Amino acid sequence: MSLKPPFSLVTAQQKVKAAQALWNTRDPHQVVTAYTQNSIWRNRTSFFTGHPAIVQFLQSKWAKEKNYLLRKELFAFRDNNIAVQFWYEYQDAMDQMKWKRCYGIEHWTFDNEGKMEKRTMSGNDLLLGKDGDGEGRWFKSSKPDEVDDIVISEERF
């Protein structure tokens, strides 16, 4: 089954889970292969374009975000666009290794070959537990293949 646009419900869900698995490698050089050479990104307040900038961004991100574990879920799709809802937890190396969760929405646009040509992300961080001790973490396992086992319902919000 092709993971190229136009997406069906099945291929959109597969594309989201493939991205989740790729990002959970925390390997910028592997992650960047899913993007076009001139991919345009907005990540919170950062705007940049192209593979070198993406790799640099991801290296900085994962230098700060230790023990990173991500979950993505399909939010909506149409033609060559996918929107995802995401949650990830990490220890902040720039803030005394306090546990945090980021949650938000991403919008992706793909070229005809299935590479992402545009990624926009809006996210919010939440301190986990008293003084960031990690109490209330969802992803307690360090195994990326177990993040989908966690039920994330409205009760979690």
Side-chain angles (χ1 to χ4, degrees):
M1 189 173 293
S2 172
L3 295 182
K4 298 177 183 179
F7 296 109
S8 67
L9 175 60
V10 171
T11 59
Q13 288 172 326
Q14 289 174 336
K15 195 74 163 175
V16 169
K17 290 305 176 180
Q20 174 183 299
L22 194 58
W23 276 67
N24 276 330
T25 67
R26 292 171 278 187
D27 180 345
H29 296 285
Q30 191 175 349
V31 172
V32 78
T33 64
Y35 299 89
T36 62
Q37 287 291 328
N38 296 326
S39 187
I40 300 166
W41 280 36
R42 180 186 64 78
N43 199 89
R44 301 179 195 235
T45 59
S46 298
F47 297 81
F48 47 94
T49 301
H51 278 196
I54 293 168
V55 168
Q56 181 179 20
F57 170 81
L58 293 173
Q59 287 170 333
S60 295
K61 171 185 179 61
W62 289 318
K64 175 186 186 243
E65 297 174 356
K66 302 298 184 183
N67 299 307
Y68 171 98
L69 202 53
L70 166 73
R71 163 108 168 247
K72 293 181 184 279
E73 292 295 334
L74 178 65
F75 187 77
F77 73 97
R78 190 173 97 192
D79 302 326
N80 68 330
N81 294 282
I82 294 177
V84 298
Q85 190 171 359
F86 69 87
W87 308 264
Y88 66 85
E89 294 177 349
Y90 64 97
Q91 285 184 286
D92 191 337
M94 306 300 184
D95 190 13
Q96 303 170 344
M97 295 301 283
K98 290 180 181 176
W99 279 100
K100 297 180 180 178
R101 178 181 305 123
C102 181
Y103 58 94
I105 299 286
E106 289 180 310
H107 175 258
W108 305 337
T109 304
F110 294 89
D111 71 5
N112 291 334
E113 297 304 309
K115 296 234 181 195
M116 198 179 302
E117 59 187 6
K118 186 169 93 174
R119 173 187 176 268
T120 60
M121 178 273 219
S122 295
N124 300 291
D125 290 310
L126 172 70
L127 190 64
L128 295 178
K130 183 175 170 33
D131 298 321
D133 65 7
E135 184 178 338
R137 286 179 51 221
W138 298 346
F139 308 134
K140 294 180 181 173
S141 169
S142 62
K143 300 175 184 170
D145 59 335
E146 293 180 5
V147 296
D148 289 323
D149 296 339
I150 305 301
V151 175
I152 300 177
S153 64
E154 291 167 1
E155 297 160 358
R156 295 263 191 189
F157 301 123

